[in-house]
C-alpha cells in the first residue's frame, strides 16, 4: 500500500498554523529560477549499462585492495576473517536496532555483553560501553567525564602527539564549557608533576601517539591522581594484544578506535568508538551497558542496565549527547575478537610490530632517507630527501600509497612521511615499497 504521511486535512491545518495558504508559500525564500533547476541527466540506461558505468567510476578510486597500502593515521587496513561479515550481515543482526525490550532482543543484548566483556579484558577496564561513533568522539566524551568529575578542576592536558582531528573534535565538544586546554610534550607523569595549579581535571595519553610512537606511562596515574585529576589513555586495540593494557598502567578511562577490530576502512566510516572505565566511574559512563541476569524461572538472560542515560531522562540530566550507537560495528568487533582469541590477536600485533620494524630498517637504508628513532608500533615517521607529497604522487603511479605526507596536518613538515605497516603486508610488499622509494628518489635527483 502507498505510504501517505499526512492527510490533506492535516496538511491544510499545518499550513494554517504557519500562516500560509499553500505549499508553494513555504519556498518563497528560494529564488524562483532556482526552485526547479533543469537536470541534464540524459536518456535512461539499462541495468547493465548502469553497472558498467558504476564499475568504471569505482575503478578510478585508489583503495586497499588495488594498491599497496601503507596509509594509516587513524584508519587501518587490517585482516578481517571472512566469518566477520558473513555473521554480521545476517538479517537478525543487520536489521536490529535499539534493544529496548529484552524479551525480544536477547541475541543483540548477548552480543553486546560479549563485546563489552572481551574489550574490558583487552583494555584492563572494569566496564565498557556500547558505544560511540568513533575514537575521536569517545575520547571527547572521556574528557567531558574528567571535566565533570571534580568540582573546580578545569585544566585538561592533551599530548602534542594526539591525532590533530581528535584535538579538533575535543575542542568542539568543549566549546560550551569553561575549561583550560593545554598540550604537553614528553612523559605524562612529568607533565602532571610539573603542574603548579591544583585544578587538573584530566590528562590524556596516546598509546601510541599519532606518529606511532609509544610513550612511557610509568608513574602517570599516580602523578595525575596526586593532582586530583583523572588519567585517560587513548589506545590502539591491536597493540593491546602485545603490550601492557592501559588498565594495568592505572588508567581511569580508556578509549580507542575500534575500526581495527574487524571493521572495514569504508572511506572513513562508520567507525566504532570504544570506551571503558573503572568501577568508580561506571555511573558517569555514557552509552549503553548490558548486564547478565536471571529471569523468574532462573534462566540466564541479558538486559540494559544503568540505562537512564540519554533517551530515557531529561536532556539536561543526561551524561552524554548520544542517542544511538554503532551497534553493528560493535557486533563485527565482537565476532572478530571471538574468532581471533588471545593467541590470534597477539599474533596479529606481533606481525604488525615485526613488519613495521623491518620496513623501517629497509627505508632507513635508502640514501637520503632516515627514520625517526624511538619505540613505535605499526607506524613511524620517515624523513624524505624530497617533499613527501611529491614523493607520494610518484608512487601513486606505481599503485603504491606510501603513507601520509605530514604536511597535510603540519604545513612546515614538508619532508616527512607517516608510514603504516600491518600484518597484511608481506616482506615482498615492503621490499617493493623500498625499491620504489629508491627509484623515485633517484629520478628526482637526475
Amino acid at each position: 500500500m502507498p505510504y501517505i504521511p499526512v492527510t490533506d486535512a492535516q496538511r491544510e491545518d499545518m499550513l494554517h498554523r504557519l500562516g500560509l495558504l499553500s505549499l508553494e508559500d513555504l519556498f518563497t525564500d528560494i529564488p524562483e529560477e532556482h526552485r526547479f533547476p533543469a537536470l541534464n541527466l540524459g536518456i535512461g540506461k539499462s541495468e547493465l549499462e548502469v553497472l558498467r558505468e558504476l564499475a568504471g567510476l569505482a575503478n578510478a578510486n585508489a583503495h586497499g585492495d588495488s594498491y599497496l597500502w601503507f596509509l594509516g593515521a587513524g584508519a587501518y587496513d587490517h585482516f578481517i576473517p571472512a566469518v566477520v561479515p558473513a555473521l554480521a550481515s545476517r538479517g537478525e543482526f543487520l536489521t536490529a536496532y535499539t534493544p529496548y525490550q529484552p524479551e525480544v532482543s536477547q541475541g543483540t543484548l548477548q552480543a553486546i555483553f560479549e563485546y563489552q566483556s572481551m574489550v574490558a579484558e583487552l583494555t584492563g577496564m572494569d566496564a565498557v560501553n556500547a558505544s560511540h561513533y568513533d575514537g575521536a568522539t569517545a575520547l571527547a566524551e572521556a574528557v567531558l567525564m574528567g571535566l565533570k568529575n571534580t568540582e573546580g578542576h578545569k585544566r585538561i592536558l592533551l599530548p602534542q602527539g594526539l591525532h590533530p582531528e581528535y584535538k579538533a573534535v575535543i575542542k568542539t565538544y568543549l566549546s560550551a564549557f569553561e575549561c583550560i586546554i593545554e598540550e604537553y610534550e614528553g612523559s605524562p607523569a612529568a607533565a602532571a608533576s610539573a603542574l603548579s595549579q591544583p585544578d587538573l581535571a584530566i590528562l590524556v595519553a596516546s598509546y601510541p601517539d599519532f606518529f606511532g610512537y609509544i610513550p612511557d606511562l610509568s608513574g602517570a596515574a599516580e602523578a595525575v591522581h596526586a593532582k586530583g585529576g583523572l588519567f585517560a589513555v587513548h589506545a590502539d586495540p591491536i597493540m593491546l594484544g602485545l603490550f601492557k593494557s592501559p588498565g594495568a598502567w592505572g588508567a581511569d578511562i580508556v578509549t580507542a578506535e575500534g575500526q581495527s577490530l574487524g571493521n572495514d576502512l569504508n572511506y572513513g566510516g562508520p567507525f566504532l568508538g570504544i570506551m571503558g572505565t573503572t568501577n568508580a566511574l561506571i555511573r558517569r559512563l555514557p552509552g549503553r551497558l548490558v548486564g547478565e541476569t536471571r529471569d523468574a524461572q532462573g534462566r540466564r538472560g541479558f538486559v540494559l542496565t544503568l540505562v537512564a542515560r540519554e533517551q530515557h531522562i531529561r536532556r539536561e540530566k543526561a551524561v552524554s549527547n548520544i542517542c544511538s550507537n554503532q551497534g553493528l560495528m560493535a557486533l563485527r568487533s565482537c565476532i572478530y575478537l571471538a574468532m581471533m582469541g588471545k593467541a590470534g590477536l597477539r599474533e596479529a600485533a606481533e606481525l604488525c610490530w615485526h613488519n613495521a620494524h623491518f620496513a623501517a630498517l629497509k627505508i632507513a637504508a635508502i640514501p637520503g632517507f632516515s627514520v625517526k628513532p624511538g619505540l613505535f608500533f605499526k607506524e613511524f615517521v620517515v624523513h624524505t630527501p624530497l617533499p613527501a607529497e611529491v614523493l607520494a604522487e610518484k608512487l601513486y603511479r606505481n599503485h603504491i600509497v606510501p603513507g601520509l605526507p605530514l604536511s597535510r596536518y603540519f604545513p612546515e613538515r614538508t619532508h616527512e612521511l607517516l608510514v603504516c605497516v600491518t600484518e597484511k603486508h608481506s616482506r615482498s610488499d615492503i621490499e617493493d615499497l623500498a625499491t620504489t622509494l629508491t627509484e623515485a628518489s633517484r629520478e628526482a635527483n637526475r
Side-chain angles (χ1 to χ4, degrees):
M1 66 175 63
Y3 172 66
I4 303 173
V6 293
T7 65
D8 289 341
Q10 289 171 325
R11 190 178 295 110
E12 290 295 327
D13 181 54
M14 286 188 285
L15 288 170
H16 175 73
R17 290 171 183 266
L18 292 171
L20 302 174
L21 297 177
S22 67
L23 285 174
E24 287 73 20
D25 292 340
L26 284 171
F27 305 101
T28 53
D29 289 338
I30 302 174
E32 190 172 353
E33 64 272 18
H34 296 302
R35 290 180 200 170
F36 300 99
L39 301 177
N40 185 21
L41 297 178
I43 61 173
K45 294 184 178 182
S46 68
E47 181 179 356
L48 178 61
E49 289 172 314
V50 170
L51 289 174
R52 187 180 293 126
E53 184 171 341
L54 291 176
L57 292 172
N59 290 334
N61 292 322
H63 57 83
D65 293 329
S66 62
Y67 279 57
L68 273 182
W69 201 264
F70 296 92
L71 180 62
Y76 302 102
D77 188 22
H78 286 286
F79 170 69
I80 301 174
V83 69
V84 174
L87 290 179
S89 62
R90 286 183 61 91
E92 303 96 312
F93 288 128
L94 196 61
T95 61
Y97 187 55
T98 304
Y100 285 127
Q101 296 174 279
E103 63 272 19
V104 294
S105 302
Q106 284 298 293
T108 297
L109 287 167
Q110 182 174 359
I112 295 174
F113 178 82
E114 301 295 350
Y115 160 81
Q116 292 174 176
S117 300
M118 287 185 284
V119 174
E121 186 173 353
L122 184 65
T123 58
M125 290 287 98
D126 296 320
V128 170
N129 71 7
S131 47
H132 294 275
Y133 299 116
D134 55 22
T137 53
L139 183 56
E141 293 283 357
V143 171
L144 276 178
M145 282 178 63
L147 192 61
K148 296 175 181 178
N149 187 61
T150 307
E151 188 73 26
H153 285 223
K154 304 295 183 184
R155 192 172 305 275
I156 297 159
L157 292 185
L158 304 178
Q160 285 188 358
L162 183 64
H163 196 307
E165 293 177 1
Y166 283 43
K167 292 179 185 178
V169 170
I170 290 170
K171 289 174 182 177
T172 299
Y173 263 65
L174 298 177
S175 59
F177 292 86
E178 182 184 345
C179 60
I180 302 165
I181 303 175
E182 295 178 349
E183 295 187 16
Y184 68 90
E185 187 176 9
S187 161
S193 300
L195 282 177
S196 57
Q197 305 90 339
D199 62 349
L200 178 61
I202 187 167
L203 182 144
V204 174
S206 291
Y207 188 61
D209 66 12
F210 175 65
F211 309 103
Y213 293 92
I214 305 170
D216 179 11
L217 300 185
S218 58
E222 294 80 1
V224 171
H225 294 158
K227 300 293 183 178
L230 296 180
F231 180 41
V233 176
H234 185 78
D236 181 327
I238 296 293
M239 192 182 84
L240 300 185
L242 183 61
F243 277 71
K244 190 174 177 178
S245 74
W249 286 111
D252 301 295
I253 309 171
V254 177
T255 60
E257 173 52 70
Q259 178 269 323
S260 296
L261 302 177
N263 289 295
D264 296 304
L265 289 168
N266 288 332
Y267 294 93
F271 281 1
L272 169 65
I274 292 172
M275 187 177 189
T277 67
T278 61
N279 280 330
L281 294 169
I282 195 169
R283 290 188 176 276
R284 293 183 177 273
L285 183 65
R288 296 190 179 91
L289 291 171
V290 173
E292 183 180 358
T293 186
R294 297 281 174 181
D295 67 9
Q297 285 76 45
R299 296 173 298 185
R300 184 189 189 210
F302 302 90
V303 295
L304 287 174
T305 186
L306 297 177
V307 74
R309 292 166 177 274
E310 287 84 29
Q311 299 97 325
H312 311 280
I313 55 178
R314 294 190 305 276
R315 181 169 57 187
E316 62 272 16
K317 297 288 186 180
V319 294
S320 84
N321 66 346
I322 293 176
C323 61
S324 183
N325 70 19
Q326 303 300 85
L328 190 60
M329 304 299 106
L331 171 69
R332 288 180 64 109
S333 291
C334 176
I335 299 168
Y336 174 88
L337 289 168
M339 294 305 301
M340 296 289 282
K342 288 183 179 180
L345 194 62
R346 181 180 179 87
E347 184 178 355
E350 287 177 342
L351 284 170
C352 289
W353 171 270
H354 291 301
N355 286 348
H357 284 76
F358 174 72
L361 287 173
K362 295 290 290 186
I363 294 172
I366 304 171
F369 288 80
S370 64
V371 173
K372 180 182 175 182
L375 184 67
F376 63 84
F377 179 79
K378 195 164 67 181
E379 291 180 279
F380 53 92
V381 176
V382 175
H383 295 267
T384 59
L386 63 156
E389 288 189 4
V390 174
L391 185 66
E393 287 290 341
K394 290 180 179 293
L395 268 69
Y396 296 158
R397 301 172 201 158
N398 296 83
H399 279 225
I400 297 175
V401 178
L404 175 76
L406 287 179
S407 56
R408 170 171 180 154
Y409 294 110
F410 311 96
E412 71 283 1
R413 302 178 72 166
T414 55
H415 287 62
E416 292 178 276
L417 185 70
L418 183 62
V419 179
C420 176
V421 187
T422 71
E423 79 280 14
K424 287 184 67 173
H425 293 104
S426 66
R427 291 295 175 101
S428 176
D429 293 337
I430 295 166
E431 287 167 352
D432 286 346
L433 171 64
T435 299
T436 313
L437 286 172
T438 303
E439 292 172 352
S441 179
R442 286 174 181 169
E443 178 186 325
N445 291 327
R446 287 175 190 159

